[in-house]
Amino acid sequence: MSTSTAPTTSPAERRGPGRAELIALLAMGMALAALGIDLMLPAFADIRQAFDLPADATEVSGIVTTYFLGLALGQLAYGPLADRFGRKPTLYVGFAVYLVGALAGAFAPSLPLLLLSRFVWGLGSAGPRVVTLAVVRDSFEGERMSRAMSFIMAVFILVPIAAPTIGAAIVAVTTWRWIFGFCVAALLVMAVWALRLPETLAPEHRLELSPRRILSAGRFVVANRQTRAYTLAMTALYGSFTSYLGSSEIIIGDVFDAAGSFPVIFGGLAAVMGVGMLVNARIVEAVGARRLSHVLLLGYVACSAVFAGVALATGGTPPLWAYLLAMAPLLGCHALVIPNFNTIAMDPMGAVAGTASSVIGSVQIAVGALLGSLLDAAFDGTVRPLAIGFFGYGLLALALVLWAERGRLFRPLRPVEPVEEPQLAEVPQV
């Protein structure tokens, strides 16, 4: 059997939405996950007050961490389901779990129960994420896959631009619990829109749902040097990013005394990421996903080194403008690197796209959230832990990429080693 199961026609050429609508639909499905995070950030102060926590308590960062853990663990289940029953049914399972978690959070009487509901909410968000990656892999290959993923991520990243402002408006008018209601409403809109999503997994490519098959597919994923290394590199970069998400509210409010400007600052930096992904979508086919991502990774490490140096030189409290000048290029590089790393990691995985997307996503998010929580725990009232984390994790990502490429960067995206064909024969179909 071939290692690729990409159809000869794209979903845009079959019954259902056109290419632009398909990309927007997938992007907004993934954006439900971002909505569940970024909408909550302006409500942290109100949540502390509601549960009688000190104004500088970091326990509320668990709202982000538990959500990410659910998002990570949930993907391990959705991948095999998507490979057996199809992409669309799996998507609606995720929607249902998402709905339960959001509603439970709206009525949670204590912080522990709120954190539990956030974990369930994250489990639900994993469904759209896995399905999106699988549908993209079903429909595209190589640089075209990176271009499609960049458009999806660019639309997806627009959510953080507006979400904090929406969250702040909700909190200003009513209680923070209505934020959960807003997410429920967004979910219901997506559930109706997703009825137009075509099923991209052909019946002959559906895989058996059994422990043996799942383990075999998992081995197929982790045995590939390219997939393994780029997944771990994404994970390292994601560690810095999750810490940024979890600590941005307290950094802007406490370190820079600019809590009132948080939605604008956070949204502006998100806009930088959105622009970066749009740029990536425009140039990746001409430059190549591998070459472009390698250049950007080196830029990421250089920018993080400058950020760490400024943080240390200023005792961890640089001027706000210096912090923003450091974060903008870092987040811009992050936005361009991640879609390309996803493409490189998923490119050899056409035969088991659902399982591969779940393994890649769960490792990236679970371990990335853990790495981010280490930086959050080291918060000392300055930006030093975050700056050092960006630099250290960036170096780790660079080392992993060098290992994957055997020390040779900037090569074009190429077919993987032929070792995968015998492994794939162990993955039974139904």
Side-chain angles (χ1 to χ4, degrees), residues 145-411:
M145 180 168 60
S146 186
R147 179 179 172 86
M149 182 57 69
S150 294
F151 275 121
I152 289 171
M153 295 300 292
V155 175
F156 158 76
I157 210 65
L158 294 176
V159 172
I161 298 175
T165 302
I166 295 172
I170 292 173
V171 170
V173 173
T174 182
T175 72
W176 58 270
R177 295 183 184 273
W178 278 102
I179 291 177
F180 294 76
F182 184 91
C183 292
V184 168
L187 172 69
L188 295 177
V189 171
M190 274 304 308
V192 173
W193 189 13
L195 293 172
R196 290 178 50 76
L197 181 70
E199 178 54 65
T200 60
L201 180 64
E204 63 270 21
H205 294 148
R206 300 194 179 201
L207 303 176
E208 179 186 351
L209 187 63
S210 70
R212 179 178 177 273
R213 202 287 300 172
I214 294 171
L215 289 174
S216 181
R219 287 196 301 270
F220 176 65
V221 175
V222 301
N224 184 275
R225 182 188 186 104
Q226 175 175 308
T227 300
R228 185 169 66 246
Y230 277 89
T231 297
L232 293 176
M234 281 192 292
T235 300
L237 298 179
Y238 211 70
S240 302
F241 185 64
T242 56
S243 179
Y244 161 74
L245 289 178
S247 62
S248 59
E249 179 260 352
I250 197 168
I251 285 177
I252 297 300
D254 288 10
V255 177
F256 297 112
D257 194 25
S261 301
F262 171 71
V264 175
I265 292 173
F266 190 84
L269 291 174
V272 171
M273 297 184 69
V275 170
M277 289 177 180
L278 286 173
V279 170
N280 182 74
R282 295 291 183 185
I283 66 175
V284 66
E285 286 192 76
V287 178
R290 194 180 242 109
R291 289 171 175 165
L292 180 60
S293 62
H294 292 171
V295 170
L296 292 166
L297 181 59
L298 292 173
Y300 181 99
V301 173
C303 291
S304 64
V306 173
F307 183 28
V310 170
L312 293 174
T314 58
T317 55
L320 178 58
W321 63 264
Y323 171 78
L324 296 178
L325 283 179
M327 291 304 302
L330 277 173
L331 295 177
C333 287
H334 181 91
L336 282 112
V337 166
I338 293 302
N340 295 316
F341 275 20
N342 254 311
T343 295
I344 297 168
M346 284 289 292
D347 196 55
M349 297 291 115
V352 288
T355 301
S357 65
S358 69
V359 172
I360 291 170
S362 61
V363 170
Q364 176 188 346
I365 294 175
V367 181
L370 176 61
L371 293 174
S373 68
L374 295 177
L375 297 183
D376 291 340
F379 179 71
D380 58 358
T382 74
V383 301
R384 273 181 306 212
L386 183 65
I388 293 172
F390 266 101
F391 180 55
Y393 293 161
L395 284 178
L396 177 58
L398 178 59
L400 287 163
V401 169
L402 286 169
W403 174 71
E405 302 295 340
R406 294 179 170 85
R408 292 175 294 171
L409 300 180
F410 314 119
R411 293 180 295 172

Side-chain angles (χ1 to χ4, degrees), residues 11 30 68 91 116 150 221 297:
M30 285 188 69
F68 274 123
L91 178 65
L116 177 61
S150 294
V221 175
L297 181 59

Side-chain angles (χ1 to χ4, degrees), residues 66-80 119 122-124 126-127 130 358-359 361-363 365-367:
T66 54
Y67 186 90
F68 274 123
L69 289 176
L71 184 60
L73 295 177
Q75 293 181 76
L76 294 175
Y78 289 112
F119 177 76
L123 290 175
V130 168
S358 69
V359 172
S362 61
V363 170
I365 294 175
V367 181

